Amino acid sequence: MHARPSFRWLIAAFTIVALAASAVTASAAEPIRLGAFLAVTGKGAFLGDPEKKTLETYVEKVNGEGGVLGRKVELIVYDTGSEAKEALTFVKRLIEQDKVDAIIGGTSTGETMAVIREVEAAAVPFISLAGGAEIVEPVKKWVFKTPHTDRLAVEKLFTDMKARGLTKIGILSGPGGFDKSCRTNAMALAPAKGLAIVADETHGAGDTDMTPQLTRIKGAPGLQAFLYCGFGAPTSIVAKNVRQIGLGVPHYQTHGSASMSFIQGAEGAAEGVRLPAAALLVVDQLPADHPQKAVATAYRDAYTERYKEPISTFGGHAYDGLFIVLEAIKRAGGTDKAKVRDEIEKTNRFIGADGIFTMSPTDHLGLDTASFVMVEVKDGTWLLLN
Amino acid sequence: MASLWQPRTGGLLALAGVVAGLPLILPNAFYYDVAILVGINATVCVGLNLLIGYAGQISLGHAGFFALGAYASAILTGDHGWPPLAALAAGAVGVGVLSFVLAQPILKLKGHYLAMGTLGLGIIISIVLNQEAGLTGGPDGMPVPSLRALGHTVAGEHAWYALVGLVLIVSVWLTLNLIDSPVGRALQAVHGSESAAALTGVDVIRYKVLVFVVSAVLASLAGSLFAHYAGFITPAEASFARSIELVTMVVLGGMASTFGAVVGAAVLTILPQALTAFQDFKMLVFGAVLMGTMIFLRKGLVPTLAGLIRNRMRSGRA
C-alpha cells in the first residue's frame, strides 16, 4: 500500500510530460493559414461560388491526406458580395487579424486591383482568380494569377479565324472591364494577325436586346466573322439576337461564355458558336495522352461527387491557385512568406485545370495559347475541335 | 461654464472621448480600418441627417455626391497631378454648385416625388461613372494616389484614423451649431409644417436649398477622403444600394439625432464584419437585425434608448 503515493506522483509526472510534449507538437504543427476573398454572392456569384466550393473541397481532401509538411491547412473565406470596397477590408482582416500565410482570391479584376497596394505593402503571397491582364502586367512582386487573360483568348480566336480564311471581323463588346480589355486587345492584335476589324459596336450594362448593334454589324461591308467580347447573361442574349437577325457569318465568343448556363440561356441559339476554353470544359473528349487529362478528370469527379452540379472552368482557377501555393509551401519547406513567394515564381510545368503553368520573374501568369482548346457548341454541349 | 455642459456639448465631448479612447482597445490595423470606414460613413450621415431629420427631405442620391467627390479626387490628382487638397476642394465646390443648381427644381417636389427626383440624380451619376471609361476607368474602377498635404503623406491606419476622427468631430460640431442656430429652428419649423413656417416669414425654399447643399458637400468631402484612403474606387460607390444604405444608417440611428446618425453608421458598418461567422446566412441575419430594430425601436436607436433612460430616471426620482 505504501507504494501508492509515489505511483500517483508518477502519473502526475507522466501527465505533465505528455501535456508539455503535446504542446510542443501543437506549436510545431501549427496549421498553414490560407485566406480567400471571393464574390460568393452578388453579380459575380457565378464565378465566386464554384471557386469557394473548389477551395473547400480540396482543402478538406488535402487535410484528409495528412495536410502539407505534416501541417493541417486552414482555409478562411470571406464573401465580398462582388464589391471592390469590401474586398479591401476583408484583405486587411486576412492579413492583420487572421494572419494568413498566403491569399487567394479577387474573383473580379476590380476586386483584385483594389487590394494590390495593401498586399504589396504587407508582403503576402497573393494569387488572383481574375481575368484582367493588368493584374500581372506590369509584374508586381507579390501578385500572381491563374486564369487566362483575354489577350490569350483573342490570340487563340484569331488563329482559328485565320485558319478558316476569315479576315474581316465585326466586334460587339459590353461595358465590363473584361469586355473592354478584350476589345482593346482585339484592336491591337488584328493587324499583326492580318485581320481587319470592319465593325466595332458596344452595348450597355443590363441591355436585353442587342439587335440594333448586330444589324449595323451585319451591314458592314465584307463581314466574314463576328466576335462577341463579354461574359455572363449578355452572352446568351447575343447568341439569340444573332440567330434572330440571321447574321449569317461564323460566330465567336470568348472563354467568358464557357459555362453551361450560356448554352441553356441561349435556348438552342448557341449552336455553332466557337470559343476558346480550358481543357477542363471538354474533359471527356480529351485524348488519353493529353497532359491535363488526369488532372482535369480528377477535378471534375471530386467536384461533381461533392456538389452534384456540373463543373465550370471558373472553379478550375481556384484549384490551380490553391495547389500552386501549396506546392510552393512544400518546396519552401515552410510558410516563410518571402520563400513561398520565390517558390511560386519558380512554378515550373505545374499541370493544372487551366493549363500548364511555368512562371518566371517576368511572367506571373505562366500560361500561353496552348493552354486553350477551341470548342464549338453542338447538340447543346461542347465539342472539342482539333 | 454651465453652458459648456448643455446636453449637446456633453455629447460632443463624449464623441471626442470615444474617438480619442478607441486606440487603447483597437488591437490591430483591421479594426482601425473598420473604425475609419465608420468615421467616413458617419460624416456623410451627419450631413444627410440634417436633410432627412431636420428639413424633412428625403435623398436617395447621396451616394452620387459621395462618388463625385471620390472621383474628383481620383481624376484630378491621378490624371492631372493636382495637389490632393486642391482636388478635394474642387470636388466639394463642384458638388456644391451642382447640388445648388439641382436643388431649386428638385426641392419643389414633395414626398415620393422628391425621393424619385434624387433617386434619378443618383442613378444618372452612377451611369456616367460606369460609362465614361476613358475618364473613370469604367466598372472596374481606378486607382487613387495617396493623400499628400504640406509635405506629409497620410499613410497607415493610425494617421488615417486621426484624420477621419478629427473630420467627424468637426462635422458634428458644425452640425450641432447649425441646428441650434436660427437656421436650425427655421428648418425644424419647415419640417413641422411648411405652410405655417412660410406664414411666420421663414424662406422655406432658401433653407431647404441650404441644407441640401451642406449635406451634399459633406458627402463629397467624405468621398474624397475615402478615395485617398482606399487607394482604389469603383462606380459601386454611386450605386442605388449605397444611397439606400446611407439613408438606412440615418433611420436606424434615429432621425433628427446627430449622434443617432453616428451610431447608425457605426452599427451598419460593423455588422457585416461581425456577422461573417454566419457565412451564407450573413445577409439573412443582417436583415433580421434591421427589421427587429425598426419594429421594436421605432424612432431609431439613439432617440428610443435616450427616451428609455430619461423615463427610468424620472420614475426613479418620483
Side-chain angles (χ1 to χ4, degrees), chain B residues 65-115:
Chain B
F65 297 128
F66 182 85
L68 280 182
Y71 273 93
S73 282
I75 293 167
L76 292 178
T77 58
D79 299 342
H80 299 282
W82 283 38
L85 284 184
L88 179 141
V93 170
V95 166
V97 170
L98 177 75
S99 57
F100 179 76
V101 172
L102 289 171
Q104 315 280 348
I106 279 190
L107 291 176
K108 284 202 178 118
L109 305 171
K110 279 179 192 154
H112 299 315
Y113 297 103
L114 174 71

Side-chain angles (χ1 to χ4, degrees), chain A residues 89 92-93 97 117 175 177, chain B residues 28 31 33 139-140 157 229 273:
Chain A
T89 298
K92 283 185 179 167
R93 186 166 178 173
Q97 176 89 345
R117 190 173 80 173
Chain B
N28 60 43
Y31 286 86
D33 176 63
D140 276 347
E157 275 77 8
Y229 170 64
Q273 289 294 329

Side-chain angles (χ1 to χ4, degrees), chain B residues 213-309:
Chain B
V213 172
V214 166
S215 71
V217 168
L218 263 182
S220 164
L221 286 175
S224 289
L225 286 179
F226 171 76
H228 284 298
Y229 170 64
F232 194 89
I233 49 170
T234 66
E237 299 312 328
S239 67
F240 174 54
R242 176 92 174 114
S243 283
I244 294 288
E245 193 186 354
L246 292 171
V247 173
T248 314
M249 286 172 180
V250 172
V251 175
L252 181 79
M255 283 185 279
S257 160
T258 300
F259 295 105
V262 176
V263 170
V267 169
L268 278 190
T269 312
I270 294 168
L271 257 190
Q273 289 294 329
L275 294 178
T276 49
F278 292 99
Q279 296 213 358
D280 293 354
F281 300 102
K282 185 172 117 178
M283 291 320 284
L284 213 64
V285 177
F286 188 69
V289 169
L290 287 190
M291 272 168 58
T293 314
M294 291 329 291
I295 291 170
F296 296 108
L297 307 172
R298 230 171 270 174
K299 285 182 182 161
L301 285 172
V302 170
T304 314
L305 295 180
L308 276 180
I309 293 169

